[in-house]
Structures are given as structure tokens and as C-alpha cells.
Amino acid sequence: MIEITEPARTAIKTAIDGAGQPVAGLRVMVQGGGCAGMKYGMALELEAQPDDAVVKAGEVTVLIDPESQAHLAGTKIDFVTGLDGSGFVFDNPNASSSCGCGKSFC
């Protein structure tokens, strides 16, 4: 379904460990909006939904809702650190174009 690089797994685990309560995983979703029409979203979830796709990557769990699954199929999620800051980067083969910020696509 999706690929999660080692740096992304480490960043996700850090977020989950810092949540202060038990977390089912990190939800990765696609929402309407952003510069190019659709944008990526992420949120820690206390529990998975029955229709979620559950992706286990090392010690972390990623949850994907049914509406986002087709948009994210084959996506590689990485975490990069650079002079401009750090954050998650999505390499999505389903995106026909993306904006300069890297957070939205169509």
C-alpha cells in the first residue's frame, strides 16, 4: 500500500512516544484543499476504525481511511531535515502535479 522510510518511522515513533497516552497509530489522510486541490494530513489516533487500512512499519502503525487509500496507493513517505526545516515528504505516484510546498497535489 505505502512505503515508510526509516527516517519517517523514527519521526512517527517519536510523535507517538511523546503523546502521553496510548495511541493506536498515525493516521495519514488526503483532504480537499491546499494549493493544488488536495492536501495530505496526519494525526495521532487513539483507536483505529474498522474500515482503516493498517500498515505496520517496524515499531509504528499507520492508519489510512478508505477514502484516502486510492490516493495514497504506492506513496513513499519520508522525513527530511534541511536548512529550510524538517518535515514529512510524500512521493506519490498518483499525483499528476504538486505545489511548491510539497504538501498538496492534484
Side-chain angles (χ1 to χ4, degrees):
M1 151 104 341
I2 63 171
E3 178 186 349
I4 304 167
T5 67
E6 184 61 37
R9 289 194 298 264
T10 300
I12 293 167
K13 183 168 179 356
T14 299
I16 290 172
D17 290 347
Q21 60 185 320
V23 173
L26 177 75
R27 179 168 305 283
V28 177
M29 66 198 102
V30 174
Q31 304 166 309
C35 310
M38 301 183 89
K39 64 182 178 179
Y40 300 106
M42 303 175 101
L44 294 177
E45 291 286 339
L46 299 179
E47 57 186 59
Q49 298 303 309
D51 54 356
D52 283 339
V54 178
V55 178
K56 298 280 189 179
E59 297 181 49
V60 301
T61 300
V62 173
L63 308 169
I64 305 171
D65 64 87
E67 294 78 28
S68 298
Q69 290 173 22
H71 296 291
L72 293 170
T75 296
K76 178 179 175 181
I77 301 174
D78 195 10
F79 188 85
V80 297
T81 303
L83 294 175
D84 295 335
S86 60
F88 289 96
V89 176
F90 296 81
D91 181 9
N92 187 340
N94 304 301
S96 58
S97 66
S98 62
C99 69
C101 74
K103 303 294 181 198
S104 87
F105 68 100
C106 66

